[in-house]
């Protein structure tokens, strides 16, 4: 491997040549004198979606309801028709009472009342069916959008957010948005129109009695104005706590063996229970607010009823009001509770939905990778040369990890990155996979800047095996074919033999169809490592990145795998991170990183003879101990 541009003072080897490849190293120049540095700010990346500006909560909610507006209009029409049928019943009752007092027949009124009752039931059933079906479509739409974004979130976003907290956006938060965007909006509109119609009919029946009941609207309106914003706040707090429960469980279940081995059950239980208790307190506060409004509304209606009975009875006694009109008014008064409760319920549902939507909108504003859904063809042609030119990178909120690094991994060779922990080795791999984009400089594949390629193309050409590769729940076959579903049985058999997995598969009762368990825990660490390498080789990449690929292998498996890597280098460029002397000595080229900079480069014997840090590493970290 050739390293250029930032070897530490005293490590320069001008004119040094190795296998016909010139390698130069110069003391790093000050930042102001660096050349060929390109700034890739987040806003200038060609393949990065810009972070959208926050939307007003109500507008965001209406955006979720808009695709279903025609069905929602139908639901509203059915709801209003049902309300109209209910409003007509007191009028029929008044007509029936009048007919009864005047000695007329009640046949028509009874038939009409039965008809209105049947129509009201049919409309209510139809409205409920269509409304619930629409609500399920809304929540499906919200969840599909969230799932799409969460799986494509940029690595920098995932670094700052607990996975458990993100999953609750798809589960519980979306359910609250579902009710707010459908039944909540319908309840508000129906409650408002129903209330207005009831007031008009009450006024037509008796204006004096309407004045008595006007207190209902005033008290309920004031209560809603004061309490509803608080419901939104406690809902947001409750949903945040639910997310913390998910994060706590994800933390403990994801490291279940570590928790058990260290007696951490009580600690992890306390963490999750604390979040559950906070969610309980927030939910209890919301329940108190809703109960207060419901009780207040009922008390006001009851007080109005007593006032109307007293005042209306006096009017009937003086002849200023017919008894039939008083009874009809009382029916309207009881009917008034329906639209009031509908308004209260709709407003509460809306506030809860807006609180949950604020958390969903956070996901909408997170940056995602927009260029990963294409399906690039299998790469052809010779293995490329991998070059880093003046690369500088820092993780968000942290000090610089790579400082003006320049190096080249020759095509079709095995190149090893060595250095102390924290020197930037794994960061180089992360940048090669475009998990992050460089802050300055360029990364080239045979002269092509990977920033000009889609991430799908980059990751199709460059395969990456992590140090602790987790397996996906499923079978050995599903994990093996995960990135190469069109691989033939012959290709599968070859990589199984190359990675010594054929003997494992042979002794399993179900062979490749054996389930690996959650996170692959049914396999040993070495078996998971070999499976990950087999999966990478099956893709036939142009560049193969191996991060501590032999960390969990025994001596026999390591030797076999080393031969496999050497064969892989015949058709791809191999870059590996190694902490084992046996791996390092077999590499064609080596680069020694320290403090985020290239300290030296060369072969094992050369570095051992001239670099003190490398000698220390060889004596300590670069051991031949096997697992």
């Amino acid at each position: 491997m050739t390293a250029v541009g930032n070897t530490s003072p005293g490590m320069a080897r001008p004119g040094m040549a190795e296998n016909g490849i010139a390698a130069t190293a110069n003391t790093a120049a000050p930042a102001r004198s660096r050349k060929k540095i390109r700034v890739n700010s987040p806003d200038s990346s060609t393949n990065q979606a810009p972070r959208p500006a926050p939307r007003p909560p109500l507008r965001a909610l209406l955006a979720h309801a808009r695709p279903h507006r025609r069905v929602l209009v139908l639901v509203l029409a059915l709801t209003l028709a049902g309300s109209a049928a209910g409003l007509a019943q007191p009028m029929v009752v008044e007509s029936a009472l009048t007919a009864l007092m005047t000695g007329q027949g009640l046949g028509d009124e009874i038939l009409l009342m039965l008809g209105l009752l049947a129509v009201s039931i049919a409309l209510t059933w139809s409205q409920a069916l269509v409304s619930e079906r629409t609500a399920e479509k809304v929540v499906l739409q919200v969840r599909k959008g969230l799932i799409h974004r969460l799986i494509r979130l940029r690595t920098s976003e995932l670094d700052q957010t607990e996975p458990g907290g993100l999953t609750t956006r798809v589960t519980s938060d979306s359910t609250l948005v579902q009710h707010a965007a459908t039944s909540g909006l319908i309840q508000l509109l129906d409650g408002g129109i129903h209330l207005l119609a009831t007031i008009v009919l009450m006024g037509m029946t008796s204006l004096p009695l309407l004045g008595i009941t006007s207190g209902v609207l005033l008290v309920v309106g004031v209560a809603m104005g004061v309490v509803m914003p608080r419901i939104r706040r406690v809902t947001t707090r409750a949903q945040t706590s639910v997310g913390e429960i998910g994060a706590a469980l994800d933390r403990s279940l994801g490291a279940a063996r570590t928790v058990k081995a260290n007696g951490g059950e009580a600690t992890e239980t306390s963490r999750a229970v604390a979040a559950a208790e906070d969610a309980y307190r927030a939910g209890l506060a919301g329940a108190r607010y809703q109960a207060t409004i419901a009780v207040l509304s009922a008390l006001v209606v009851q007080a109005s009823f007593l006032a109307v009975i007293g005042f209306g009875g006096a009017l009937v006694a003086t002849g200023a009001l017919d008894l039939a009109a008083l009874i009809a008014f009382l029916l309207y008064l009881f009917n008034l509770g329906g639209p009031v409760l509908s308004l209260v319920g709709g407003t509460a549902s809306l506030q809860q939905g807006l609180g949950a939507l604020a958390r969903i909108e956070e996901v909408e504003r997170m940056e995602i990778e927009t260029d990963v859904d294409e399906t690039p063809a299998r790469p052809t042609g010779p293995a490329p040369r991998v070059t880093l030119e003046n690369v500088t990178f820092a993780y968000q909120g942290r000090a610089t990890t790579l400082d003006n690094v320049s190096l080249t991994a020759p095509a079709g060779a095995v190149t090893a990155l060595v250095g102390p922990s924290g020197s930037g080795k794994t960061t180089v791999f992360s940048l090669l996979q475009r998990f992050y984009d460089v802050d300055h400089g360029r990364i080239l594949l045979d002269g092509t800047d990977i920033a000009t390629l889609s991430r799908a193309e980059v990751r199709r050409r460059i395969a990456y095996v992590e140090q602790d590769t987790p397996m996906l729940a499923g079978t050995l076959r599903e994990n093996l074919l995960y990135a190469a579903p069109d691989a033939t049985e012959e290709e599968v058999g070859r990589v199984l033999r190359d990675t010594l997995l054929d003997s494992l598969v042979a002794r399993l009762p179900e062979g490749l169809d054996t389930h690996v368990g959650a996170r692959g825990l049914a396999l040993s660490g070495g078996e998971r490592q070999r499976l990950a390498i087999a999966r990478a080789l099956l893709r036939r990449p142009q560049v193969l990145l191996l991060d501590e690929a032999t960390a969990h292998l025994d001596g026999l498996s390591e030797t076999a795998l080393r031969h496999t890597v050497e064969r892989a280098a015949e058709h791809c460029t191999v870059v590996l991170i190694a902490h084992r002397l046996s791996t390092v000595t077999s590499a064609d080229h080596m680069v020694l990183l320290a403090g985020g900079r290239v300290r030296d480069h060369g072969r094992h014997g050369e570095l051992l003879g001239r670099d003190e840090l490398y000698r220390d590493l060889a004596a300590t970290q670069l051991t031949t101990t096997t697992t």
Side-chain angles (χ1 to χ4, degrees), residues 24 43 50 70 106 136 150 187 218 239 250 257 277 287 312-313 315 374 386 455 494 502 566 600 612:
T24 61
D43 293 334
R70 293 184 179 178
L106 299 178
E136 292 301 325
L150 289 176
Q187 280 183 302
L218 179 61
Q239 293 304 108
D250 181 77
R257 298 190 180 191
E277 289 177 344
L315 292 178
E374 61 184 71
V386 179
R455 289 179 177 84
R494 184 174 61 251
D502 52 341
E566 291 170 356
D600 205 346
E612 183 179 358

Side-chain angles (χ1 to χ4, degrees), residues 193-417:
I193 296 174
H194 194 170
L195 181 63
L196 180 61
T198 302
I199 293 173
V200 170
L201 292 174
M202 291 172 74
M204 293 173 59
T205 303
S206 173
L207 285 175
L209 294 181
L210 177 60
I212 295 293
T213 59
S214 60
V216 176
L217 305 178
L218 179 61
V219 173
V220 173
V222 171
M224 289 174 61
V226 172
V227 174
M228 289 306 173
R230 300 182 182 182
I231 291 180
R232 184 197 302 191
R233 289 195 293 270
V234 297
T235 298
T236 303
R237 175 184 155 198
Q239 293 304 108
T240 300
S241 299
V242 170
E244 291 173 356
I245 297 172
L249 290 175
D250 181 77
R251 160 194 159 103
S252 57
L253 297 177
R257 298 190 180 191
T258 301
V259 172
K260 294 178 182 298
N262 291 276
E265 290 89 348
T267 300
E268 297 304 321
T269 300
S270 297
R271 181 187 295 266
V273 167
E277 289 177 344
D278 191 51
Y280 165 75
R281 288 189 291 269
L284 197 60
R288 283 197 297 267
Y289 289 136
Q290 294 191 57
T292 299
I293 292 179
V295 170
L296 187 60
S297 301
L299 287 176
V300 172
V301 169
Q302 292 297 324
S304 298
F305 173 75
L306 294 177
V308 167
I309 284 291
F311 185 62
L315 292 178
V316 171
T318 60
L321 183 68
D322 293 335
L323 179 60
L326 175 60
I327 295 175
F329 192 92
L330 288 173
L331 291 176
Y332 282 126
L333 181 60
F334 280 119
N335 189 65
L336 191 65
V340 169
L341 291 177
S342 182
L343 278 173
V344 171
T347 305
S349 177
L350 184 64
Q351 294 298 323
Q352 291 173 341
L354 293 178
L357 190 61
R359 287 166 44 80
I360 290 177
E361 284 289 290
E362 290 177 4
V363 176
E364 295 291 332
R365 293 193 297 273
M366 290 181 178
E367 297 170 356
I368 65 171
E369 297 176 344
T370 61
D371 54 350
V372 295
D373 289 315
E374 61 184 71
T375 306
R378 174 175 289 187
T380 58
R385 180 180 67 258
V386 179
T387 306
L388 274 68
E389 289 186 356
N390 307 110
V391 169
T392 297
F393 173 77
Y395 294 99
Q396 185 173 352
R398 293 166 57 183
T400 299
T401 303
L402 296 178
D403 184 12
N404 198 33
V405 169
S406 294
L407 53 84
T408 297
V414 178
T415 300
L417 301 181

